[in-house]
Structures are given as C-alpha cells and as structure tokens.
Amino acid sequence: LGAREELRRYHKGVYGQSIQALVASQRFEIALIADRALSREWDLQEWSAELKVPYIDDTNLVEFVSLLSRFSLAIAHDSGPGHIAAALGLRSVHLFGPGCVGDWHPYSVWNHPVLRVGVECRLKGPRDLEQFHFCNVKTCSHHSCMRKIAPETIIQTVQRLANGLSTS
C-alpha cells in the first residue's frame, strides 16, 4: 500500500473502493501489505477488518519478498514493492502520480501496466515526451495526479491482467 513519499500514494478512500470491488468479485485472494508507519497512519487493522481482507505490516525485506512471491498479481505505487513484484515475475499494476514513468518503469506494459492520468501541473521534463514528465513539489493541495486515477480503471486493469489480456 505504501510509498515512502505521501504524494506517490493513492488516496486511501479510493483505494478502498477498488479493494471492495475486487473482493466482491470473489475472484481474488487479497492481502494488504504495508510498513508499520503507514499501518498506523491508515489504521490498517480497522480498515482491513472493514474491507474483510487480511493485512500484514510487520515484515522485514526477506519476509516481504517471500510473502509477495506467493501471489500472482500486485497493485503497487511508484515504489520499491512494485519493482520487487516485477522482479518476482508477478503481473503488477503500477499507480503513478508525480513520478517519471520513463525513468522508473522499464517493464513491459503488457504484464506491468502503468495507471497515470495527465495533469497540467506535472510540468518537469521534456515537453513532447509525457512519460518523462514529473512533478517534484513536496506539498500539493489537490493531489489530482493520483486522485484522478479512477477505481474502475484499477479494477478493469486487474481483471484484464488476471484474464491474461493486453492492457494497452
């Protein structure tokens, strides 16, 4: 669930909508995995009970990799866990907000699609190459680069990956 930088995290409420829909589909075994700090910040124990999915928040790197390797698909932010999922061969959906897709996502979009919306405030980088645009602000009043990624888009992308269909 987490990313070290708050601006790279998908909003908890809309994440919850995606998780609820995936749980309701009865197609997926879902676990929420986060570090201890985010677990406390998001009250992961209570939230996971509401969503009716297990959570894990007390793992070291070796345990995390071992745990993740038991799954076939991951949803991750522009963060280390997404890279680990890809390295393990999991199909993975990568949620990108302010980060630079061109610099940080060297994976096939067939098995590792990027979900990212165009926003006017992501101004850094070459004008004609959107995948290399990024934002380096430390605070943001609207966080629209993440909030505009619709839960439905995540759900559809996960379902297409699970069905082995192209997401491009």
Side-chain angles (χ1 to χ4, degrees), residues 127-155:
R127 284 186 205 175
D128 57 342
L129 295 172
E130 202 285 327
Q131 72 269 24
F132 286 98
H133 289 187
F134 64 96
C135 177
N136 62 354
V137 300
K138 298 298 177 204
T139 59
C140 179
S141 62
H142 52 85
H143 203 210
S144 61
C145 60
M146 292 300 276
R147 288 183 183 266
K148 288 185 176 182
I149 300 173
E152 297 79 20
T153 304
I154 294 173
I155 295 159

Side-chain angles (χ1 to χ4, degrees), residues 88-109:
L88 289 170
L90 276 68
R91 290 179 172 212
S92 49
V93 178
H94 297 254
L95 308 176
F96 264 79
C100 180
V101 173
D103 284 345
W104 296 107
H105 192 273
Y107 314 112
S108 157
V109 294

